[in-house]
Amino acid sequence: MNYGGGPSFLLASTDVSPVLEHNPAGRSPFLFTCDHYGRLIPSPLGDLGLPEGELVRHIAWDIGIAGVATQLSDLLGAHLIAQRYSRLVIDCNRPPHVASSVPLISEATTVPGNEGLSREAAEMRRAQIFDPYHRRIDDIIDERARHGMPTVLVSLHSFTPVYAGIARPWHIGTLYHRDKALPPLLLKHLRAEGDLVVGDNEPYAVSDETDYTIPVHGEQRGLMNSGIEIRQDLISDQAGETAWAERLARILGEIEATLRAEAPIKGRISLG
């Protein structure tokens, strides 16, 4: 297969849409996004030259977060917008101009299907996977605003317990940059649980160069926002996914009550 030049099309007729929506009629102020929900690869790209063992690892997707996100959406009656294709095809939480958008190396794994990729082939991945996903998020935020619905954007992710040989102690972390409203509330409630090691912008911090969903859909639009990262060994089975969905539903429900008591949640909330 000619990975470098790429096919003349990306998604075959048998390939599903990159955008998955769950609970679109949900009335919760929380709008959930899940950039690394799935690990599908478009049929014309085969397996990107990787063995199956690599395609089920954290380099391909955020292990466990799909189950947490779907159940959390149900528990809160919240709209979830997720992305079905592997981050190895194109990372939907990276600005398209950065090298990690279509990774040549992920952790220590070289991705043969991304070697020598032409500009046209990279643009096709953006046009057929990245753009429809983010366009749908934009459209939903616009639609909610037209109907006077408040929007609090929460981007859901998971992280590997060990990265590049270094163990990570956190059970969960909040990720943020400019929003000074939601992240402190999340940190306060998570730390109050008493049994959690909570990361404050750990294991990652949000920035304009390393992230896309929060800077573009949250910060640029003035929405209250935060990312949530859960350690993957805690959500590697259905019981773990359910336990964390239930915990986060309770915590976010408490936060929603706090926000409504302090001031009505508006469709757009200024950051500062």
Side-chain angles (χ1 to χ4, degrees), residues 62 139 153-154 177 191 218 242 254 265:
D62 279 2
D139 290 346
L153 181 68
V154 178
H177 188 199
R191 287 168 174 162
T242 298
E254 293 168 357
I265 304 175

Side-chain angles (χ1 to χ4, degrees), residues 12 18 26 40 42 54 72 81 83 91 103 122 124 126-128 134 138 163 166 169 177 196 211 219 233 238 246 253:
L40 297 178
E54 294 289 350
L72 183 57
I81 307 174
Q83 202 287 115
D91 193 322
M124 192 177 301
R126 176 179 180 176
Q128 295 193 31
H134 287 289
D138 264 336
Y163 184 80
I166 299 174
H177 188 199
L196 299 179
D211 296 81
E219 294 177 343
D233 59 318
Q238 188 171 349
E246 290 175 347

Side-chain angles (χ1 to χ4, degrees), residues 17 28 41 47 49 65 75-76 196-197 228 237-239 244:
S17 164
S28 169
I41 298 175
D47 54 14
I65 203 61
L75 288 167
L76 288 179
L196 299 179
V197 179
I228 291 177
D237 58 25
Q238 188 171 349
W244 274 93

Side-chain angles (χ1 to χ4, degrees), residues 45-253:
L45 298 183
D47 54 14
L48 290 173
L50 292 170
E52 177 66 15
E54 294 289 350
L55 297 176
V56 298
R57 293 182 61 226
H58 71 90
I59 63 172
W61 63 330
D62 279 2
I63 295 169
I65 203 61
V68 174
T70 302
Q71 292 182 70
L72 183 57
S73 168
D74 285 334
L75 288 167
L76 288 179
H79 193 168
L80 165 67
I81 307 174
Q83 202 287 115
R84 290 184 168 105
Y85 286 90
S86 174
R87 63 194 303 170
L88 296 176
V89 177
I90 185 167
D91 193 322
C92 284
N93 192 36
R94 296 290 183 273
H97 68 273
V98 303
S100 57
S101 169
V102 179
L104 181 57
I105 299 176
S106 185
E107 195 172 18
T109 299
T110 298
V111 185
N114 293 343
E115 291 183 310
L117 198 67
S118 69
R119 178 178 296 181
E120 292 75 16
E123 282 297 319
M124 192 177 301
R125 296 187 189 191
R126 176 179 180 176
Q128 295 193 31
I129 295 177
F130 183 99
D131 287 347
Y133 172 61
H134 287 289
R135 189 161 53 241
R136 186 57 182 155
I137 297 173
D138 264 336
D139 290 346
I140 290 300
I141 293 173
D142 286 342
E143 184 178 332
R144 291 169 70 97
R146 284 195 299 271
H147 288 88
M149 287 181 64
T151 297
V152 178
L153 181 68
V154 178
S155 184
L156 299 168
H157 294 266
S158 70
F159 65 96
T160 182
V162 179
Y163 184 80
I166 299 174
R168 289 145 147 194
W170 309 281
H171 298 111
I172 189 170
T174 59
L175 281 66
Y176 59 94
H177 188 199
R178 298 178 178 91
D179 187 2
K180 302 300 189 291
L182 182 58
L185 283 172
L186 268 173
L187 286 168
K188 175 184 175 182
H189 282 263
L190 289 168
R191 287 168 174 162
E193 295 287 284
D195 62 339
L196 299 179
V197 179
V198 181
D200 181 353
N201 259 343
E202 297 285 0
Y204 305 104
V206 173
S207 77
D208 295 333
E209 287 300 308
T210 59
D211 296 81
Y212 190 89
T213 299
I214 286 178
V216 171
H217 300 296
E219 294 177 343
Q220 290 183 17
R221 301 189 64 145
L223 299 179
M224 191 179 290
N225 67 83
S226 183
I228 291 177
E229 288 267 3
I230 307 171
R231 206 173 68 202
Q232 289 168 358
D233 59 318
L234 305 176
I235 53 173
S236 60
D237 58 25
Q238 188 171 349
E241 293 171 356
T242 298
W244 274 93
E246 290 175 347
R247 189 193 290 243
L248 286 176
R250 172 172 51 80
I251 289 171
L252 290 173

